[in-house]
């Protein structure tokens, strides 16, 4: 649209001076007539001048927007401290007051996968996609803190913030990177440890008693010598290893 408007303006700039030349000549003749006083005619401003000015204004606004995007692209955290951000959001978070368009009174259980597909933007983009100056970065701590719950230290659910799944994934990666770099704190729950649960005074985890002298012939544990094996089970084992026992006796002889 802007390109077609500029081409029309340039065409009018080329054709309009030839049509305005007789009018300018007539104006100069009226001013030169002797003996008659005329009001000073205001200088004529041709329409092509207005059209060219409008086109230049459009170009200037586009250039300013591009410069702002480039400036915040290098340092996205500066946008949260700018006057433009304060005028648009104030002291609220980026996702405060956002509501996704949907049919019926029950909102969808999941947000959309992405708001931007190629060059096309959906009708009601998420709070991050609707503002091109908001860039998710692990150093943009003030933006990340708006999506973290102060009570649990976890990210808000996307159904609460309205962020699309693509931007939610970027938020998870940025928060983890910021915590690895020490920019965001960890919240570890406090647990009271009871000494009874971790004591080593009972027999299951107690210290092993010192071994007795091997020359005395006593068993390691006193209860081990009191166990008497079953004769039937002993007979089964001997029958099973009968060949092995015979070979062992033969070797001993």
């Amino acid at each position: 649209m802007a390109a077609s408007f500029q081409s029309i303006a340039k065409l009018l700039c080329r054709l309009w001076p030839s049509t305005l030349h007789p009018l300018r000549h007539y104006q100069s003749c009226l001013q030169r007539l002797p003996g008659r006083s005329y009001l000073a005619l205001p200088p004529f401003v041709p329409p092509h001048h207005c059209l060219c000015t409008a086109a230049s204004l459009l170009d200037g606004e586009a250039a300013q927007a591009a410069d702002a995007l480039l400036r915040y692209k290098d340092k996205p955290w500066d946008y949260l401290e700018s006057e433009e951000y304060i005028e648009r959001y104030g002291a609220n978070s980026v996702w405060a007051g956002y509501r996704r368009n949907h049919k019926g009174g029950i909102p969808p259980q999941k947000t959309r996968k992405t708001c931007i597909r190629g060059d096309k933007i959906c009708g009601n983009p998420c709070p991050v996609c609707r503002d091109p100056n908001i860039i998710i970065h692990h150093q943009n701590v003030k933006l990340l803190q708006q999506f973290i719950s102060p009570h649990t230290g976890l990210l808000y659910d996307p159904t609460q913030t309205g962020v699309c799944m693509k931007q939610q994934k970027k938020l998870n990666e940025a928060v983890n990177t910021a915590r690895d770099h020490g920019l965001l704190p960890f919240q570890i729950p406090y647990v009271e440890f009871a000494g009874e649960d971790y004591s080593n005074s009972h027999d299951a985890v107690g210290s092993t008693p010192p071994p007795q002298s091997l020359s005395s012939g006593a068993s390691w544990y006193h209860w081990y010598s009191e166990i008497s094996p079953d004769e039937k089970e002993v007979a089964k084992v001997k029958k099973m290893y009968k060949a092995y026992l015979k070979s062992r006796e033969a070797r001993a002889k």
Side-chain angles (χ1 to χ4, degrees), residues 185-204:
F186 285 94
Q187 292 189 0
I188 302 175
Y190 175 73
V191 179
E192 294 184 359
F193 296 98
E196 297 178 356
D197 298 336
Y198 298 93
S199 64
N200 57 353
S201 59
H202 50 85
D203 296 337

Side-chain angles (χ1 to χ4, degrees), residues 4 22 72 79 117 145 225:
S4 60
Y72 295 134
Y79 175 65
R117 298 181 183 273
Q145 288 176 348
S225 60

Side-chain angles (χ1 to χ4, degrees), residues 28-41:
S28 61
C29 292
L30 288 177
Q31 292 177 355
R32 294 176 183 175
L33 287 175
R36 301 186 66 180
S37 61
Y38 291 92
L39 295 174
L41 296 177

Side-chain angles (χ1 to χ4, degrees), residues 149-228:
S149 174
H151 307 289
T152 61
L154 302 176
L155 283 173
Y156 287 115
D157 194 80
T159 56
Q160 183 177 357
T161 58
V163 178
C164 62
M165 302 306 295
K166 182 179 180 181
Q167 300 296 340
Q168 184 72 12
K169 184 178 180 181
K170 291 183 179 180
L171 283 171
N172 285 324
E173 294 176 354
V175 168
N176 293 333
T177 306
R179 286 174 175 170
D180 291 340
H181 292 185
L183 301 176
L184 287 176
F186 285 94
Q187 292 189 0
I188 302 175
Y190 175 73
V191 179
E192 294 184 359
F193 296 98
E196 297 178 356
D197 298 336
Y198 298 93
S199 64
N200 57 353
S201 59
H202 50 85
D203 296 337
V205 294
S207 59
T208 305
Q212 299 178 0
S213 177
L214 298 178
S215 61
S216 63
S219 60
W220 190 280
Y221 297 102
H222 61 87
W223 50 264
Y224 190 78
S225 60
E226 298 175 358
I227 298 175
S228 59

Side-chain angles (χ1 to χ4, degrees), residues 230-242 245:
D230 189 4
E231 296 180 357
K232 293 182 179 180
E233 296 294 332
V234 174
K236 287 182 180 179
V237 173
K238 288 182 178 181
K239 186 177 180 181
M240 187 182 300
Y241 294 98
K242 185 177 181 180
L245 294 174

